[in-house]
Each structure stands twice: as C-alpha cells, then as structure tokens.
Amino acid sequence: MRKFLKYVSIYSLSLILLIIGMEYMLRRIPNPLSFKKELIESHTQDTKNLIIGSSVVNCGINPVYLADSTYNLAISGEWFRFNQLLLEKYIQQMPHLKNIFWGICFHSLWSDDSESTDESSIINHKIYMGISRTEDKFHNVELLYLGSLSLRKWSKYYIQRKSTVHCDSLGVDHSYDANLKEKNWREDIPYLVRNQHRPMLADTDGSLYRANIQRMHQMAQLCQSKGITLYLVMPPVHPTYFKLMDKKQLTLIRKAVQEVTLQWKNVHSLDYFGDTRFNDDDFYDGNHLSSDIGAIKFTKLLKEDVSTDL
C-alpha cells in the first residue's frame, strides 16, 4: 500500500510540475491581447485617438494615415462586452484622449464574448489583459480550461516556430495583407454572408441585440463624461457582400446606431457599408479590408470625413 501511494504521489507531483511548466511556457508566447495591453499601457499619457472593435478595424484602420498619437487596440473576434471593459479600464489613465473610433461589423450587434458562446475569449482577456467580470479563479489556468486550444498554441510557437502576433507598432494586424489572401476568396462571399447572418437568427427574442445597444449607450455616456467624441464606424464591405447581405439585418444595425447618435451629442456615425469607392484590390476577403492596401485608402477617406475633429 505504501509503495502504491508512493507511486501515486510521484505521478501526481510529476503531473502538477508538467502543468506548471506548460502554463509557464504558454504565458511566454506572444499574443494579440498581451501585445495590445502593453501598447496602451505604454501610451496612456500621449494617446489622443483610439481605435477599438473587432477584426474589421483591427486590419482596416491604420493610425499612420489618421492622426498623431493614434493607436489601434481592436482585436480580432472581440465584441462589445470587452470593447466596453477595455475602455472602462483605461479611460481614466488617458488625460489627452479626444476621439474613439469604434468599429462595427455586420454581426456585431448579435455577437458576444460570453461563456455560452466563447469561453476562450473570457479566459484570455482575464489572463492577458486583466479584464474580467467573473471571479472564477480557475479561469487563471489556461491549460486546464482551454485544453487542446492551448496545446495547439504551444505547438505553433515552440514546435512549428510560427509567429503568433502580426501587429505593427501602432496595433494594425498585418495578417490581412493583400499578398496573404486566398486565391478564390470571392467565391466564399455567399457563405460568409450566410454565416454572419446566423447570429441574428439565433437571437430569437432580440435580447442580445438590445443588450449590445445598451452597451453602446453606456460607452457613449462614459465618453461624454470625459469630453470624448465617439465615432461608430461601419467599414466598407465588398460589393458582392453588400448585395447579398440581409437587408433586415442592415436596417436593424442602422436603427441601433441612429438611436445612439440621436441621444448623445458626442456620438457620430460613419457608415461605409455600401461605399462604391472600394473594389477587389482593397479587400482581403468579403468583409475585411487588406491591411496594406484597402486600410490605407479607407483611413485616408476617414480622415477627410472627421479632419476638423482630429
């Protein structure tokens, strides 16, 4: 019995040490969230303009062509819940912040970083950005909660030796460069449109839609209290995407944005969804501008539209 307990103890200790070692190695892997955290914390005192949102602005707005002291904090797959928490965490530390550009894509109002839809987002935000609304202490252990996801991340960095962050010094994600796009990306647009219509269909009672509108109002109120102008930016999509997108969904997006802009004087909408000035060369796929071509063109147009406020 003693020998058995001894072996069990040795095995258990070895397993614990393995988990600790793996967790330590995972924490040392560069990732977009820790990168953006370091970026904003390094520039709290000089930031004048912020870009927040998901992938459509993560790759679609380039601070170089907008204004000085502008940083792109948008993160691929990040929805309103964490956009709001990010701003609430850092706004008090940015005395010179003047404008916020908040990117809204076709399915933003029906998406959420919640435990029921994307637990990995909650865990990664808590570990790598210190942003959370949950007190579950076990969310601090990436390996135990994300399992195979964390192992694939470990393998990609340590075994395959691939880059895990593609952001430049201002936060633009260059994994959407034009030379990296798929050859037949245009053929995938109908599927992309259908896939991004599903979140709306799943929100059968409209509760998530209303919750995200409420988050927009809360963000507007917070910005108003600090004298900050909030721009709700809807970046352009490919002409085929715009033609195929569900018109009811588009109407609901514009209705929500209008509701917020009418109530808050510091909020303005910038709707480029159906902008005809963009063509194939400007896109990485159906609803993402290429970070090295389309984003530059779009940012220059954006600057023209808000130049008096920058």
Side-chain angles (χ1 to χ4, degrees):
M1 186 65 178
R2 288 184 179 179
K3 186 177 290 188
F4 172 75
L5 292 175
K6 178 181 178 181
Y7 288 143
V8 170
S9 298
I10 293 173
Y11 174 79
S12 299
L13 179 60
S14 300
L15 183 60
I16 291 171
L17 291 175
L18 177 62
I19 292 173
I20 292 173
M22 286 289 291
E23 188 73 17
Y24 174 77
M25 295 179 74
L26 286 169
R27 301 294 180 95
R28 294 177 63 83
I29 299 175
N31 66 80
L33 283 84
S34 58
F35 178 88
K36 295 294 175 90
K37 181 177 186 289
E38 182 177 349
L39 177 63
I40 188 56
E41 291 183 351
S42 299
H43 294 282
T44 53
Q45 295 303 307
D46 64 77
T47 299
K48 295 179 181 177
N49 308 287
L50 274 185
I51 300 156
I52 63 173
S54 60
S55 57
V56 293
V57 285
N58 184 24
C59 65
I61 302 179
N62 191 324
V64 170
Y65 302 92
L66 191 61
D68 292 336
S69 303
T70 301
Y71 301 96
N72 191 325
L73 296 190
I75 297 172
S76 181
E78 184 172 70
W79 308 119
F80 286 13
R81 178 189 300 267
F82 283 116
N83 295 161
Q84 181 180 0
L85 289 173
L86 177 74
L87 186 59
E88 290 174 348
K89 179 176 181 179
Y90 289 108
I91 196 169
Q92 304 291 348
Q93 305 172 39
M94 295 184 284
H96 302 294
L97 182 58
K98 185 179 179 182
N99 302 293
I100 293 175
F101 296 86
W102 189 6
I104 299 173
C105 70
F106 191 53
H107 55 298
S108 291
L109 284 157
W110 294 272
S111 301
D112 188 22
D113 305 272
S114 66
E115 292 195 31
S116 61
T117 58
D118 190 0
E119 189 177 30
S120 63
S121 180
I122 293 177
I123 294 169
N124 285 323
H125 274 85
K126 184 169 186 178
I127 292 174
Y128 295 108
M129 298 195 83
I131 298 175
S132 177
R133 281 184 175 168
T134 176
E135 299 302 320
D136 187 349
K137 62 181 178 180
F138 295 105
H139 277 152
N140 290 322
V141 185
E142 183 178 358
L143 180 62
L144 294 181
Y145 263 79
L146 297 185
S148 60
L149 284 176
S150 60
L151 291 176
R152 287 198 293 271
K153 168 185 166 182
W154 184 92
S155 176
K156 180 179 181 180
Y157 185 73
Y158 289 109
I159 303 299
Q160 302 174 49
R161 299 293 181 180
K162 293 182 178 179
S163 176
T164 52
V165 177
H166 303 276
C167 299
D168 61 26
S169 62
L170 297 178
V172 180
D173 187 347
H174 287 280
S175 61
Y176 294 86
D177 280 3
N179 64 314
L180 299 176
K181 63 185 176 182
E182 298 290 336
K183 291 182 180 179
N184 301 318
W185 62 272
R186 295 171 193 82
E187 298 176 5
D188 295 330
I189 292 178
Y191 168 79
L192 183 64
V193 173
R194 290 194 301 270
N195 190 52
Q196 296 181 348
H197 180 51
R198 289 192 182 105
M200 176 187 164
L201 297 177
D203 187 31
T204 54
D205 62 355
S207 58
L208 186 53
Y209 174 72
R210 291 191 297 273
N212 279 324
I213 293 176
Q214 184 59 30
R215 290 184 177 116
M216 293 169 73
H217 281 294
Q218 291 168 351
M219 291 272 275
Q221 184 177 31
L222 178 60
C223 288
Q224 185 186 67
S225 70
K226 298 295 180 182
I228 296 168
T229 301
L230 176 63
Y231 293 97
L232 303 177
V233 183
M234 290 150 278
V237 296
H238 189 271
T240 302
Y241 185 107
F242 184 75
K243 180 181 178 180
L244 296 175
M245 64 166 48
D246 183 83
K247 296 305 181 285
K248 178 182 177 182
Q249 190 166 348
L250 178 60
T251 298
L252 287 172
I253 294 169
R254 288 173 168 166
K255 180 181 178 181
V257 170
Q258 182 182 43
E259 176 186 322
V260 178
T261 55
L262 287 175
Q263 181 167 334
W264 304 96
K265 294 181 179 180
N266 65 311
V267 180
H268 305 282
S269 67
L270 296 166
D271 184 352
Y272 301 91
F273 272 146
D275 198 309
T276 57
R277 291 173 289 185
F278 296 85
N279 53 49
D280 286 0
D281 294 337
D282 299 314
F283 290 94
Y284 173 84
D285 61 20
N287 71 326
H288 290 95
L289 293 165
S290 54
S291 51
D292 55 344
I293 299 176
I296 295 174
K297 178 178 178 178
F298 176 53
T299 308
K300 288 179 178 179
L301 293 173
L302 190 64
K303 183 175 182 178
E304 290 179 5
D305 292 338
V306 299
S307 59
T308 58
D309 298 316
L310 295 175

